[in-house]
């Protein structure tokens, strides 16, 4: 039985953040100077996340995405993913990672049941990668992507956030990756989350602008219809190419009417909308010994308060309480 919110949106997707920590410090995501990480005892334990999932899945949540912070740095992550897989009713579990630990962990991820990967990568240039992330690990990420391809992960989606004046000169190079490889490259519009000092409307390169650049510098884009497309990405292929180019445009064309998601933050809050600070605490009730019926009530409450749409255009930038690494991107 699917779950519906009051606006008749089918909600079947939960993004689970397992940590707010990350082994990168991307300038727009986890600003270096003012990030404090949560003490370990404020994070949900794996048992607590599994408990919540075991209530959510029979209600209709069938697809999960593991995210963070950087999910691969949390100890025990592979066993946790295997335990999630064992829940009756789970159709799909995918993972979002920065790829730094992918080379060594890819076989374990496959064994744990993950075959769909999203890898965030904002530059194809090692020096620029260092400027954006504060880390010299571009080569590791690239080897991780190659290893995942060799092991047969599919699809492999590379998520790039183009920011004007930072990496927008690499849009064509990212698009070219899809010509000969089966990789999906997805361009995500820069959102005013956690980037108080960096975000301004002009920094966001809209999907239309990215498309223009690709068509001018790489080739004509033809619509690509996935067999099963549930996500917010508008997909294309370069004529003759093997991979896919996707545009995710929360700023220029919001897709709230078809949103199917809830989020669970690492510190145990259900967040019905990425772009609203309304959250429902499930950690305190669980630690207070609540019954499963109470968790079901809280999950249903999250549907009741899920906003109709985001209000980014009406909201001054930087008013969100959490950065993306703390929400779970
Ligand atoms: N560590 C994992 C990773 O790198 O994929 C998962 C978490 S990370 C917060 C998820 C994604 O959020 C990254 O692709 C990052 O680029 C994106 N992100 C962070 N802040 C953003 C912002 N202000 N606008 C758009 N995307 C953002």
């Amino acid at each position: 039985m699917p779950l519906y919110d009051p606006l008749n949106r089918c909600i079947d997707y939960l993004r689970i953040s397992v940590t707010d920590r990350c082994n990168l410090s991307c300038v727009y995501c986890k600003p270096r100077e003012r990030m404090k990480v949560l003490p370990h005892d404020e994070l949900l334990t794996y048992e607590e996340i599994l408990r919540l999932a075991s209530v959510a899945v029979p209600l209709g949540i069938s697809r999960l995405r593991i995210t963070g912070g950087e999910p691969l740095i949390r100890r025990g992550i592979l066993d946790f993913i295997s335990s999630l897989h064992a829940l009756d009713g789970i159709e799909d579990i995918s993972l979002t990672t920065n790829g730094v630990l992918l080379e060594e962990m890819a076989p374990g991820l496959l064994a744990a049941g993950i075959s769909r990967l999203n890898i965030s990568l904002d530059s194809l240039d090692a020096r620029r990668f260092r400027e954006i992330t504060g880390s010299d690990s571009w080569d590791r990420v690239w080897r991780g992507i190659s290893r995942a391809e060799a092991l047969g992960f599919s699809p492999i989606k590379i998520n790039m956030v183009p920011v004007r004046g930072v990496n927008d000169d690499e849009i064509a190079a990212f698009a070219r990756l899809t010509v000969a490889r089966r990789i999906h490259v997805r361009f995500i519009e820069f959102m005013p989350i956690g980037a108080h000092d960096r975000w301004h409307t002009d920094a966001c390169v809209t999907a239309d602008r990215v498309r223009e650049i690709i068509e001018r510098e790489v080739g004509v884009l033809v619509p690509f219809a996935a067999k099963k497309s549930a996500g917010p990405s508008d997909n294309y292929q370069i004529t003759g190419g093997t991979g896919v180019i996707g545009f995710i445009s929360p700023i220029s064309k919001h897709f709230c009417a078809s949103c199917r998601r809830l989020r669970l933050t690492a510190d145990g809050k259900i967040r019905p909308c990425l772009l609203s600070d309304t959250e429902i605490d499930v950690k305190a009730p669980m630690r207070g010994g609540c019954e499963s019926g109470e968790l079901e009530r809280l999950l249903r409450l999250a549907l009741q308060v899920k906003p109709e749409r985001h209000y980014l255009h009406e909201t001054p930038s930087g008013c969100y309480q959490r950065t993306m690494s703390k929400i779970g991107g």
Side-chain angles (χ1 to χ4, degrees):
M1 249 294 279
L3 268 181
Y4 285 92
D5 76 0
L7 298 170
N8 219 25
R9 291 177 292 196
C10 174
I11 309 296
D12 61 356
Y13 182 40
L14 178 66
R15 292 174 79 104
I16 299 176
S17 173
V18 293
T19 179
D20 64 326
R21 293 167 196 239
C22 189
N23 44 1
L24 298 183
S25 304
C26 298
V27 279
Y28 60 88
C29 179
K30 189 186 139 189
R32 283 155 220 177
E33 59 283 7
R34 55 187 163 80
M35 284 295 289
K36 285 204 191 84
V37 289
L38 290 164
H40 283 292
D41 62 355
E42 284 194 27
L43 296 183
L44 287 186
T45 63
Y46 286 139
E47 290 71 23
E48 286 166 335
I49 302 175
L50 281 163
R51 179 167 181 221
L52 187 80
S54 70
V55 173
V57 171
L59 295 180
I61 298 293
S62 57
R63 299 180 303 127
L64 305 177
R65 174 172 292 280
I66 311 302
T67 183
E70 172 49 38
L72 296 186
I73 63 175
R74 182 153 173 189
R75 207 173 303 150
I77 187 73
L78 298 178
D79 287 341
F80 167 65
I81 293 170
S82 299
S83 307
L84 278 177
H85 259 292
L87 293 177
D88 218 16
I90 292 288
E91 284 174 19
D92 181 61
I93 305 183
S94 53
L95 176 93
T96 295
T97 174
N98 59 32
V100 174
L101 296 174
L102 190 55
E103 189 181 20
E104 53 266 46
M105 293 183 73
L109 285 168
L110 261 190
I114 298 269
S115 60
R116 296 177 351 92
L117 283 180
N118 285 15
I119 300 149
S120 305
L121 182 63
D122 290 327
S123 180
L124 296 173
D125 174 78
R127 192 146 24 117
R128 183 175 285 165
F129 179 91
R130 181 177 210 298
E131 281 162 19
I132 297 173
T133 66
S135 161
D136 275 323
S137 40
W138 186 88
D139 294 310
R140 288 180 74 178
V141 175
W142 198 250
R143 286 199 306 271
I145 293 172
S146 304
R147 178 130 206 234
E149 278 182 284
L151 288 170
F153 281 83
S154 177
I156 296 175
K157 298 181 181 174
I158 295 183
N159 289 343
M160 187 234 190
V161 179
V163 181
R164 196 176 308 276
V166 173
N167 59 354
D168 55 335
D169 56 341
E170 296 192 53
I171 288 170
F174 270 93
R176 278 190 204 100
L177 292 175
T178 69
V179 173
R181 301 164 84 147
R182 291 183 52 238
I183 280 179
H184 293 215
V185 171
R186 305 188 323 159
F187 296 96
I188 303 178
E189 286 176 349
F190 185 31
M191 294 175 276
I193 306 174
H196 306 212
D197 37 356
R198 302 243 163 201
W199 199 91
H200 50 95
T201 316
D202 293 344
C204 169
V205 187
T206 63
D208 284 347
R209 176 78 188 120
V210 174
R211 191 183 317 218
E212 244 175 68
I213 294 171
I214 295 172
E215 295 215 299
R216 192 181 64 228
E217 297 187 24
V218 188
V220 173
L221 290 169
V222 289
F224 172 82
K227 270 177 243 134
K228 193 176 160 201
S229 171
S233 179
D234 201 7
N235 292 329
Y236 295 82
Q237 284 188 302
I238 299 282
T239 313
T242 46
V244 175
I245 294 177
F247 300 99
I248 301 184
S249 36
I251 301 284
S252 62
K253 295 181 197 102
H254 74 74
F255 34 81
C256 307
S258 55
C259 181
R260 307 171 74 106
R261 351 182 130 158
L262 295 177
R263 292 180 139 81
L264 177 64
T265 65
D267 58 346
K269 310 280 193 302
I270 301 174
R271 191 167 169 116
C273 169
L274 170 65
L275 296 166
S276 155
D277 280 335
T278 301
E279 295 179 343
I280 293 171
D281 185 19
V282 287
K283 182 177 65 184
M286 277 198 274
R287 293 192 180 170
C290 77
E291 303 283 335
S292 296
E294 174 62 1
L295 290 179
E296 177 174 340
R297 188 187 72 77
L298 293 170
L299 278 160
R300 291 190 186 280
L301 180 62
L303 300 192
Q304 295 299 317
V305 299
K306 187 172 168 67
E308 178 178 358
R309 64 176 183 93
H310 71 64
Y311 293 91
L312 272 185
H313 301 293
E314 293 89 330
T315 321
S317 81
C319 71
Y320 298 101
Q321 295 299 311
R322 295 176 184 257
T323 59
M324 198 74 148
S325 61
K326 288 204 179 285
I327 298 170

